[in-house]
Amino acid sequence: MKRTMMSLIGVAAALGAVTGVAAVTAPGGGAQEAPRSSSLLPVQRSALLCPAPTSSEVGQTDYTAFAPKGAAAGADGKKGTAQLLPAGTVKDAGGTDTGKGKGKKNTGKKGADSAAGQAVAPRDTKPVVPLQEAGKPVTTSTDSPDAPALVGAADGTLAPGWTVQQTTSVAAGAGRGLLGLSCTTPDTTFWFPGVSTATDRQDYVHLTNPDPTPAVVDLQLRGKDGSLGGSAGEDITVPPHTTVPVLLSTLTTAPTTNASLQVVAREGRIGAAVQATDSKLGSDWLPAAADPSPSVVLPGIPKDATSVRLVALAPGESDADLKVQLATPTGLITPAGLESLHLKSGMTTAVDLKDVTKGEAGSLVLTPSDGGSKAPISAALRVTRGKGAKQEMAFIPATRPVEQRATAADNRAKGSTLSLVAPEKGKDAKVKVTASAGSGGGTPVTKTYTVKGGTSLDVAPPAPQGLKGTYALTVEPAAGSGPVYAARMLARPQGGVPAFTVQALPDDRGTVLVPTAGQDLSVLTK
């Protein structure tokens, strides 16, 4: 009898625990009650993927890893680990010779046929930029043209806000310029407005699999008339812990200057980024845009931009009518001749905004027109600085707002510009910006900025006292602040070329809302 009673108590406790979870996730409500409270807790594990940086013989890549100090403590109290490991590579993906980035077609095989070829293991398996503590960046450099893609994870106290910046400087050749990328988190769907398959561009999408099982990926290109090409981008297999580079021009027979790329992992998950090389404008990484939304913000257009091109797509079944506005230091304005923008469903639209900033830094804000459809859209900007043969390009995708915290690694004593935009009129944003300790020494510094609603603010960010090496910037909106978006520009001139790169700073999603579950013994009476 005693054992029977104890068994019933154990079953009741188990069922109560299950009911507590089910009450959070059950659809439709029903008799189960929603949790009465929840807690914002730090993530316990995060993953990042960095694509292979460059095949140039005259390129150098700097990696900077950082985790915000005091972001959160691990649930088990452990210090945590954070490091990246070299990934393998599948050669000749997408029917191209990827050996030196020349993009020569081989036997004519495309997509899954060549991507399913033999994976080449990395030559070196040593960890890259392993973090030992939060609050202080760790850096390393490589000038190898065969530097591999990197796959890594962080846990414990180093997981929340873990950030790795990959910055590559190429001194000469078609890919010359400054290429910057915040290493990406794995996902199943990515949008890249702004890609090109034109003869003056070589755009590679790098697909990296962080997991021990293969991923199967589909690529779809959309131009001004809709879908491009046949089945060349279907069923691409990405082996475990491996990267596959695919030259986009091999996926279609129609060269297209302004296109959008959708990357979908039908099996598994991947990281994806596009490396774009222009014969006249240099090269840079095009990161994935934020998930399609009726309103999007593209922050951080430099004040000296000589050309700005908007590429946008309405990926759903409905057209989108948009109001186009530029958030300037004094308020929202409508670019001349662009009071509205119509996007046809499934088609890519490009608009040259020329020197839209007119010497003042700004951010582009796209919202549904009054009375128009609220169809979701995806968008990105190609921004050019310089003139003639001394031009350099960078990309600014639509990004998520900074809700709790965002981080930009790899800042130097000079050359960084922080852009903050509060896109909604009457909703000011108060933002705390912290410069971390330097990788070689220095004392953190914090400064607070107020951005008036409907305006954009560009500042030279604070630097740590006694800075040695590089440092990170952490952006944190104050409680009750209006919506705020952020971007960071790195400028490092190269022999008269105004080389630069822009990284949007979305929220790092270092915390997660965890409902408080409780036991519900009434399930035993039902």
Side-chain angles (χ1 to χ4, degrees), residues 234-254:
E234 296 181 356
D235 298 322
I236 297 175
T237 298
V238 186
H241 307 301
T242 300
T243 191
V244 174
V246 180
L247 182 61
L248 297 185
S249 60
T250 65
L251 304 181
T252 176
T253 57

Side-chain angles (χ1 to χ4, degrees), residues 103-496:
K104 295 180 181 178
K105 294 186 180 181
N106 55 22
T107 59
K109 293 182 179 180
K110 294 181 180 180
D113 291 339
S114 58
Q118 184 176 1
V120 178
R123 296 179 181 178
D124 192 353
T125 57
K126 294 180 181 179
V128 178
V129 286
L131 276 181
Q132 301 298 323
E133 60 179 312
K136 183 179 180 180
V138 173
T139 66
T140 192
S141 299
T142 179
D143 58 3
S144 171
D146 298 320
L150 303 175
V151 176
D155 57 26
T157 59
L158 298 177
W162 181 47
T163 301
V164 179
Q165 169 80 12
Q166 174 179 301
T167 308
T168 302
S169 177
V170 179
R176 63 106 177 103
L178 189 67
L179 300 83
L181 181 71
S182 293
C183 297
T184 60
T185 56
D187 208 336
T188 58
T189 304
F190 301 84
W191 295 93
F192 297 95
V195 300
S196 175
T197 63
T199 55
D200 60 350
R201 279 269 292 269
Q202 284 193 357
D203 286 16
Y204 282 89
V205 60
H206 291 247
L207 310 173
T208 307
N209 180 1
D211 297 321
T213 56
V216 179
V217 180
D218 290 341
L219 306 178
Q220 183 176 19
L221 288 165
R222 293 181 175 90
K224 62 182 181 65
D225 297 319
S227 181
L228 297 175
S231 60
E234 296 181 356
D235 298 322
I236 297 175
T237 298
V238 186
H241 307 301
T242 300
T243 191
V244 174
V246 180
L247 182 61
L248 297 185
S249 60
T250 65
L251 304 181
T252 176
T253 57
T256 303
T257 300
N258 302 300
S260 298
L261 171 67
Q262 182 185 12
V263 178
V264 177
R266 289 191 290 107
E267 296 180 19
R269 57 177 189 160
I270 57 167
V274 172
Q275 189 177 50
T277 301
D278 188 281
S279 59
K280 295 181 180 179
L281 303 178
S283 60
D284 205 348
W285 289 101
L286 170 57
D291 292 340
S293 172
S295 299
V296 299
V297 177
L298 303 97
I301 305 174
K303 64 180 180 181
D304 59 350
T306 52
S307 175
V308 178
R309 177 185 294 172
L310 168 66
V311 181
L313 169 76
E317 298 181 355
S318 301
D319 294 358
D321 290 294
L322 302 172
K323 181 188 299 183
V324 181
Q325 294 178 297
L326 184 71
T328 72
T330 56
L332 291 167
I333 64 171
T334 300
L338 195 62
E339 288 76 16
S340 63
L341 178 63
H342 180 74
L343 303 182
K344 293 183 179 180
S345 171
M347 302 180 186
T348 299
T349 298
V351 180
D352 282 320
L353 303 177
K354 301 179 181 179
D355 56 340
V356 65
T357 56
K358 304 295 183 183
E360 288 187 329
S363 300
L364 203 65
V365 181
L366 305 179
T367 55
S369 297
D370 295 338
S373 169
K374 293 186 177 181
I377 65 167
S378 184
L381 299 173
R382 190 201 70 183
V383 179
T384 304
R385 297 172 72 218
K387 296 181 180 180
K390 303 290 187 181
Q391 295 186 78
E392 164 77 335
M393 71 174 183
F395 296 94
I396 302 174
T399 188
R400 303 191 307 270
V402 183
E403 297 174 351
Q404 299 290 332
R405 181 184 61 239
T407 298
D410 193 13
N411 298 280
R412 313 292 172 90
K414 295 181 180 180
S416 293
T417 301
L418 178 64
S419 298
L420 303 170
V421 56
E424 297 186 21
K425 286 184 178 179
K427 294 186 177 181
D428 297 354
K430 188 175 182 180
V431 182
K432 181 177 74 172
V433 178
T434 301
S436 74
S439 57
T443 304
V445 172
T446 297
K447 190 171 182 179
T448 299
Y449 301 91
T450 298
V451 188
K452 292 185 177 181
T455 71
S456 187
L457 174 68
D458 269 26
V459 296
Q465 296 179 356
L467 170 65
K468 293 182 181 179
T470 68
Y471 69 99
L473 288 170
T474 302
V475 178
E476 299 173 280
S481 176
V484 62
Y485 296 73
R488 187 278 315 272
M489 182 180 79
L490 293 177
R492 298 177 189 170
Q494 297 177 349

